[in-house]
Structure formats: structure tokens, C-alpha cells
Amino acid sequence: MKMLKECLLIVVISCLCGFLFNLFSPRGIALVGQWDMSEGVISAVTKDNPVAHDLEIGDIGVVKEIYDSGDSVFIDARAEKAFEEGHIKGAVSLPIGLYEERLEAFIMKYPPSTHIITYCSGRTCQDSHELAQILLQFDYEKVNVFIDGYPAWEKSDYPIEAGSENESG
């Protein structure tokens, strides 16, 4: 019986240490989050969570109206290869993994008053949210995230193209 109590005590202390380490770690694993895709981009509530649901546009019809108006720049946050394979027609490639290299050229081409729509691979992808947060930090005034991204756009038979001729850098 004594050995069982000691084992239980070790397990409890280990769990407590694990939770405390996770709590204070800057990259801790989220214990809660938003996992319902009908509510927007799924996300764990971490300390560095880029998801801001108030920036999201979940209605593809609204996104198409914005696109048709021609007053906005669509920014593809996906990797270059995905962009080259297919993207929203006229979109600019600004992969989240390369934004530091390309941001200066992007800022020179598009002033902070430009309406920006970021997108990536849908509701399981946070890259468009992360890019939106970066652009907001660089004083872009109107930034939205098309949460259903390229897969929904393509599925709706809206204008797409392939290749890399529209890259910003």
C-alpha cells in the first residue's frame, strides 16, 4: 500500500510540474481552444495565438464582392510552391515563411491605406491570420482574413491562375 501511495504521489507531482512548465513556457501547448470550424479558423488559445476572429470573413459571397470591386489586394500566405500550383487570380504571394525578405518590397508597392485580404489553405491554416497581424503592426489600416481560403475559392469556380508572375518580391 505504501508503494502505491508513493507511485501516486510521483504521478501527481510529475503532472503538476508538467502543467506548470507548460503554463510558463512561451510555446506552451494549449489546454483550450476554438475547435469548431463553423465558428472560424480553428485555433489553440496559446500565448502567441495569431487568430483574431474579428478580422475573419467567412462568407465567400462577401469575399467575391470585394474581389469584383477591384479595390483590394489579395495576399496568399501559403508557401511559394502552393501559390505556383494555383492561387486567386491577381493575388500577391507573401508566404509567411518569407515575409521578412519580401515585406519591404510589398510596403513600397502597397501603401498602408490599401485594403488587404489575406488567405491560405482554409480553416485549419493560421498563416493568413499571422500575416494579417504582421501587416497590422506595419500600420495597414484595413486587413481581413478570408478564412476558407484558396480551396473554397477554387471549389466555387472563381477566377484562379497558376504560376509565380504576381509575386511581390
Side-chain angles (χ1 to χ4, degrees), residues 15-80:
C15 289
L16 187 59
C17 287
F19 281 116
L20 286 173
F21 180 80
N22 188 59
L23 177 67
F24 293 109
S25 171
R27 302 288 285 178
I29 299 169
L31 299 178
V32 295
Q34 194 290 105
W35 309 112
D36 184 357
M37 285 185 25
S38 68
E39 296 292 321
V41 171
I42 61 170
S43 64
V45 181
T46 60
K47 295 171 185 146
D48 58 350
N49 181 20
V51 176
H53 293 291
D54 58 327
L55 300 177
E56 295 178 340
I57 301 175
D59 183 337
I60 194 166
V62 170
V63 175
K64 181 65 163 73
E65 286 177 21
I66 293 169
Y67 177 84
D68 288 341
S69 76
D71 295 333
S72 301
V73 176
F74 281 68
I75 309 297
D76 192 322
R78 299 174 303 152
E80 283 182 320

Side-chain angles (χ1 to χ4, degrees), residues 5 11-12 25 27 30 39 44-45 48 53 55 64 80 85 91 93-94 101-102 111 117 122 132 137 142 150 154 160:
K5 286 181 182 180
V11 168
V12 169
S25 171
R27 302 288 285 178
E39 296 292 321
V45 181
D48 58 350
H53 293 291
L55 300 177
K64 181 65 163 73
E80 283 182 320
E85 290 172 358
S93 177
L94 189 57
E101 297 171 21
R102 297 187 178 175
I117 306 290
Q137 289 173 7
K142 187 156 183 181
Y150 181 71
E154 182 181 36
I160 61 171

Side-chain angles (χ1 to χ4, degrees), residues 67 85-90 119 150-162 165:
Y67 177 84
E85 290 172 358
H87 55 270
I88 294 174
K89 187 173 183 177
Y119 71 91
Y150 181 71
W153 188 268
E154 182 181 36
K155 185 178 177 185
S156 296
D157 290 324
Y158 291 153
I160 61 171
E161 61 188 356
E165 66 273 0

Side-chain angles (χ1 to χ4, degrees), residues 80 93-95 98-107 167-169:
E80 283 182 320
S93 177
L94 189 57
L98 299 174
Y99 86 89
E100 290 175 338
E101 297 171 21
R102 297 187 178 175
L103 193 58
E104 187 176 334
F106 179 84
I107 291 170
E167 290 186 57
S168 64

